[in-house]
Amino acid sequence: AAYGATPGRPGEGVLKPGDARARRPERAIALAFLAALCASALIGSVLVLLPCALFLLPLPLAPARALYRAIANAVAASWFTFASALIETLAGVRLRVSGPGGGPRLMGERVAILICNHHCRVDWLFLWPLACRMLSAGRLKIALRDDMKRMPFFGWAMQAFLFVFLSRRNRPLDLLRIERTLGYLVHERDEPVLLLLFPEGSDLSPQNAQRDAAYATRAGERVYRHVLHPRTAGFAHAVKTLGDRLDAVYDATLWYERHPDEAAAGARPSERTLFKGTFPRTVSAHVERFGRASLPPPDDEAALGEWLKARWAVKEAMLDKLLVDGVPPPRARRSHPSLGSEYRLALVGWGGAVVLLCAGLVRWLPLAIYVAVGMLAFHLITTLVGGVDSIELALRGCVAVSYT
């Protein structure tokens, strides 16, 4: 139950004989889902973002650099919407959002942090639809491991989106990366940002749960079953860096109703289950909003750390009631009315681009050569200079300074 299914109405999510979902060709759906994601990510990274970076970033003109950021943000908004549409339509995953913070952001709100428990390795995938519901797909920035930036197509696009890449091994370096990226985006460029943080640092695998329990025992803290104890330094430093530009912190508690095959095997959602096509039936997110005035002062890192630990104690208690005691989940809220239209538009636009790409690669040799050269160029940029994000920050002279 600690890793388990979401309780709900009797029989909800259970495959019965003759259920249409039981007859779906799940592996074919998985292949179509992954192929569409990869092909669209190739288009966005190699065919759109790479030439924009190579031609616009070197120009010592503010309008050129502003145009590059506008293009990158537009690609991010449309691609995350497309990926979310695939998750909820093709893969058939139901996102169930509850809580006062799960709807569109407040009018005038520009900068926020979204914190979430890290149940499995692919949590971030299912938080894309949540960002769409919050009308924040284009401003989403995710803090994730630095080896992700070397992932073909996806990692290359993440570089251009200015995600925050962390080593998880060198704390001073990671805090510097948080400060440089957020300082540049928010304080220098005045861009809207929704920063997604997983303060636990690792997912809730059995091995990580055992290590966390050993840590809690040594530290004299409560042993958790459904979450890991959060690491507070990154969150506190992000709040400190954003300072008075931070409008709110959103706290999302995530849990899953798994595919019956995976639930029977005791497995959590992972890359392997995605390849098999055994997507979770329902992903539930309970989201609460905390305005800046309700948070500790941004320069009080100790108090911010205690605030974060208290939120994780609340998560543990909530998940225990849901997953062990069988308490019904909070009432879900409706999506904003335009979400369906946004999904359809993204499916038509990116779907058409994928079809054209596939036809062009087969029929037009210059396109195939260009794609191959672009892939090689992105690989070399990532390997030799750290990626297009490193180039953008370096060209703007970003240094480790205090933005509070």
Side-chain angles (χ1 to χ4, degrees):
Y3 310 108
T6 306
R9 295 186 298 273
E12 182 180 62
V14 178
L15 291 182
K16 301 177 181 179
D19 193 316
R21 291 181 299 174
R23 298 192 298 268
R24 289 192 310 174
E26 291 179 330
R27 290 187 181 275
I29 290 175
L31 289 175
F33 174 79
L34 295 170
L37 278 186
C38 291
S40 58
L42 184 153
I43 294 170
S45 60
V46 176
L47 298 184
V48 179
L49 295 171
L50 178 62
C52 289
L54 294 179
F55 285 106
L56 295 176
L57 283 181
L59 296 177
L61 302 172
R65 295 168 179 176
L67 176 60
Y68 170 72
R69 284 257 46 89
I71 293 172
N73 292 337
V75 172
S78 62
W79 190 85
F80 283 132
T81 304
F82 173 65
S84 300
L86 291 178
I87 291 168
E88 296 197 63
T89 56
L90 181 60
V93 179
R94 176 192 175 206
L95 178 65
R96 188 182 182 281
V97 180
S98 60
R105 65 182 183 275
L106 296 180
M107 185 67 67
E109 185 174 283
R110 292 178 56 80
V111 179
I113 297 174
L114 172 63
I115 54 175
C116 185
N117 58 305
H118 206 352
H119 180 81
C120 64
R121 288 167 54 91
V122 291
D123 287 328
W124 45 269
L125 185 74
F126 302 111
L127 288 172
W128 296 344
L130 176 60
C132 291
R133 282 163 169 77
M134 297 173 68
L135 300 179
S136 297
R139 61 182 66 190
L140 180 64
K141 313 296 178 186
I142 305 177
L144 69 175
R145 298 193 319 271
D146 56 5
D147 57 352
M148 293 290 290
K149 71 160 50 181
R150 292 186 287 274
M151 182 185 296
F153 314 144
F154 302 100
W156 300 340
M158 292 174 190
Q159 297 173 21
F161 297 160
L162 279 183
F163 281 14
V164 183
F165 297 99
L166 306 175
S167 69
R168 303 289 188 187
R169 299 176 301 276
N170 187 329
R171 176 174 168 174
L173 176 61
D174 288 344
L175 297 183
L176 175 61
R177 288 174 174 174
I178 292 172
E179 188 169 340
R180 293 178 73 219
T181 305
L182 295 182
Y184 169 63
L185 285 170
V186 175
H187 293 279
E188 297 183 31
R189 295 211 56 82
D190 192 27
E191 290 196 9
V193 167
L194 176 65
L195 175 66
L196 172 57
L197 292 174
F198 293 103
E200 292 157 295
S202 302
D203 69 301
L204 191 64
S205 68
Q207 297 81 6
N208 290 332
Q210 290 176 2
R211 284 193 288 267
D212 187 71
Y215 157 78
T217 301
R218 291 193 306 270
E221 298 185 11
R222 179 186 172 189
V223 176
Y224 289 156
R225 298 179 60 191
H226 311 292
V227 296
L228 305 177
H229 288 80
R231 304 175 185 180
T232 62
F235 169 76
H237 198 67
V239 173
K240 179 180 179 181
T241 299
L242 294 174
D244 60 3
R245 302 298 298 276
L246 178 66
D247 294 308
V249 172
Y250 289 84
D251 181 9
T253 301
L254 205 64
W255 68 99
Y256 291 83
E257 177 193 336
R258 295 172 296 176
H259 187 283
D261 292 349
E262 303 304 326
R268 295 169 302 119
S270 65
E271 296 89 344
R272 180 186 62 84
T273 64
L274 298 186
F275 278 105
K276 289 172 57 181
T278 52
F279 294 89
R281 291 302 184 215
T282 302
V283 179
S284 297
H286 183 75
V287 187
E288 298 182 66
R289 181 187 182 276
F290 299 89
R292 184 179 63 207
S294 66
L295 300 173
D299 57 349
D300 192 341
E301 297 191 16
L304 287 166
E306 291 302 316
W307 182 91
L308 186 66
K309 291 179 180 179
R311 293 308 309 164
W312 249 248
V314 172
K315 289 180 186 293
E316 173 71 12
M318 178 182 180
L319 291 172
D320 200 62
K321 290 180 180 179
L322 289 167
L323 304 178
V324 178
D325 298 339
V327 175
R331 183 177 179 180
R333 62 184 301 151
R334 292 180 178 272
S335 303
H336 62 87
S338 65
L339 184 63
S341 299
E342 293 171 6
Y343 277 5
R344 286 189 290 271
L345 183 61
L347 287 171
V348 171
W350 281 98
V354 168
V355 171
L356 291 175
L357 172 68
C358 294
L361 290 175
V362 172
R363 295 173 175 270
W364 195 35
L365 181 60
L367 177 61
I369 295 174
Y370 173 81
V371 168
V373 171
M375 292 171 60
L376 178 60
F378 240 133
H379 172 73
L380 292 176
I381 291 172
T382 304
T383 302
L384 298 178
V385 299
V388 295
D389 55 330
S390 298
I391 294 175
E392 182 174 4
L393 293 174
L395 287 176
R396 280 147 182 82
C398 289
V399 295
V401 296
S402 174
Y403 292 100
T404 58

